[in-house]
DNA sequence: ACCTGAACACCGTTCAAGT
DNA sequence: ACCTGAACACCGTTCAAGT
């Protein structure tokens, strides 16, 4: 088998294409950007692009999974923190930032629309989500044992509810541009307070 | 000015087109259905369709606003009911049904993706949302005065949080097909319980 | 006044040909 | 082995022509 001229080339190319795509999507959105525009930005030909991605949808899918992966680190840190609420606020900020890289507020709805029609992407996102939900549930039950969080709560259900709330807030932020990041994070914090600390 | 052959025709045509579009979207989704297919289903020509709708996006926009309007009745009934939680569960069911007419689970994400790129649709949806949020907030503060709901809650914030949660749950249901309607409604009820009745 | 459908423009994708 | 870009297929939209 012939050895590759440069074994790192494929990975570099992929990154190059994804960077170009992210730039274009930010400017004009997923639907409005053209394969040709991505190619121009990445300085390659269409033929080349299709060697690395099977379709335009595959490109958003890859971006979506990248963003999820980068948001995942915030879920890791949940257990390290003493103050669960502060950690949750950080998590919300990281999540919102990962999916609105440099101000593309519509990326998340694009991803969701894509996922709703593409079972492969949906499944991949769901797998990521299950991991995140488990980590969140773990942090919640840890906090329950330590006191400070209502003990009768089912940690898994609370985690699900919080994730749904976070995604709902992200959606509203995407549609209604005025709302800035900090406001969304505050809202999430308030929601988490209501859900987790029902004793007052 | 010449009088119309049939003054009701335009309205009938619009309905005819929207019905056809809903049917097609349900089968194949917004992106995958063709103007030609909608025309075939509605038994008109493309030229005719474009007399009634400026673009394909305008068709989803009209469907989205119709669905919102039909969900709005559930918000009206919030104040009539004695048991706020039951009324909220009904509301969730009506909302989810309005946006998944005959099993098109991906309609809502399509609408959101469209709205995120189309300021006109976003603004129209936001106006609807403000009405719904106000009604929900009204019902919450009414329930607060009657006891049964944590009185220190800011009704507006709680309403916002519940709407975000509802949309988040709707999204998750759209992406992960397994989850059936009743499960989603139960989840929303549980969330509302946590948010509204923090005294235990 | 109402309607048709062929034609146009545009864009995702492929593939024969280059180096 | 890696890459190009012209060509193809498809679909949203328009408009000259019909009744």
């Amino acid at each position: 088998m012939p050895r590759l001229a440069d074994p790192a080339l494929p990975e570099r190319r992929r990154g190059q294409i994804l960077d170009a795509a992210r730039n274009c999507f930010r400017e004009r959105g997923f639907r409005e950007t053209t394969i040709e525009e991505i190619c121009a930005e990445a300085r390659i030909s269409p033929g080349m692009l299709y060697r690395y991605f099977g379709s335009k949808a595959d490109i958003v899918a890859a971006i979506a999974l990248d963003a999820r992966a980068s948001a995942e680190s915030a879920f890791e840190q949940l257990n390290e923190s003493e103050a669960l609420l502060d950690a949750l606020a950080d998590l919300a900020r990281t999540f919102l930032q990962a999916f609105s890289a440099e101000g593309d507020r519509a990326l998340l709805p694009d991803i969701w629309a894509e996922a709703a029609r593409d079972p492969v992407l949906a499944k991949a996102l769901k797998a990521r989500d299950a991991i995140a939900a488990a980590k969140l549930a773990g942090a919640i039950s840890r906090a329950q044992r330590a006191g400070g969080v209502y003990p009768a709560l089912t940690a898994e259900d609370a985690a699900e509810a919080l994730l749904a709330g976070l995604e709902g807030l992200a959606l509203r932020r995407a549609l209604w541009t005025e709302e800035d990041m900090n406001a969304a994070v505050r809202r999430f914090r308030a929601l988490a307070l209501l859900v987790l600390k029902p004793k007052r």
Side-chain angles (χ1 to χ4, degrees), chain A residues 148-167:
Chain A
V149 164
Y150 183 64
L153 216 55
T154 305
E156 283 74 22
D157 288 354
E160 265 272 335
L162 287 179
L163 286 182
L166 178 56
E167 286 173 354

Side-chain angles (χ1 to χ4, degrees), chain A residues 34 40-41 61 80-81 101 117 121 132-133 157 162 187 197:
Chain A
T34 284
E41 180 90 16
E80 255 104 89
S81 167
R117 301 291 179 195
L121 176 55
D157 288 354
L162 287 179
R187 278 189 198 285
K197 294 206 173 168

Side-chain angles (χ1 to χ4, degrees), chain A residues 104-125:
Chain A
D104 182 8
R105 54 185 232 295
L107 179 59
L108 206 39
D110 277 342
I111 290 170
W112 288 334
E114 211 48 50
R117 301 291 179 195
D118 173 0
V120 176
L121 176 55
K123 209 176 161 200
L125 284 180

Side-chain angles (χ1 to χ4, degrees), chain A residues 5 49 64-65 76-77 84 98 111 121 129-130 141-142 144 149 151 167 169 174 184:
Chain A
L49 186 149
L65 290 172
E76 303 284 3
Q77 289 168 9
L84 181 56
I111 290 170
L121 176 55
D129 195 87
S141 52
R142 217 180 76 107
Q144 284 177 315
V149 164
E167 286 173 354
L169 288 170

Side-chain angles (χ1 to χ4, degrees), chain A residues 21 24-38 56-57 60 104 106-117:
Chain A
C24 293
F25 294 167
R26 187 189 327 135
E27 307 278 349
R28 282 176 300 282
F30 172 60
R31 310 206 191 175
E32 277 71 23
T33 97
T34 284
I35 290 287
E36 204 180 345
E37 290 167 340
I38 298 175
K56 197 184 173 193
V60 232
D104 182 8
L107 179 59
L108 206 39
D110 277 342
I111 290 170
W112 288 334
E114 211 48 50
R117 301 291 179 195

Side-chain angles (χ1 to χ4, degrees), chain A residues 6-7 29 81 86 91 93 115-116 121:
Chain A
D6 178 357
S81 167
D86 291 337
L91 182 155
R93 173 166 278 112
L121 176 55

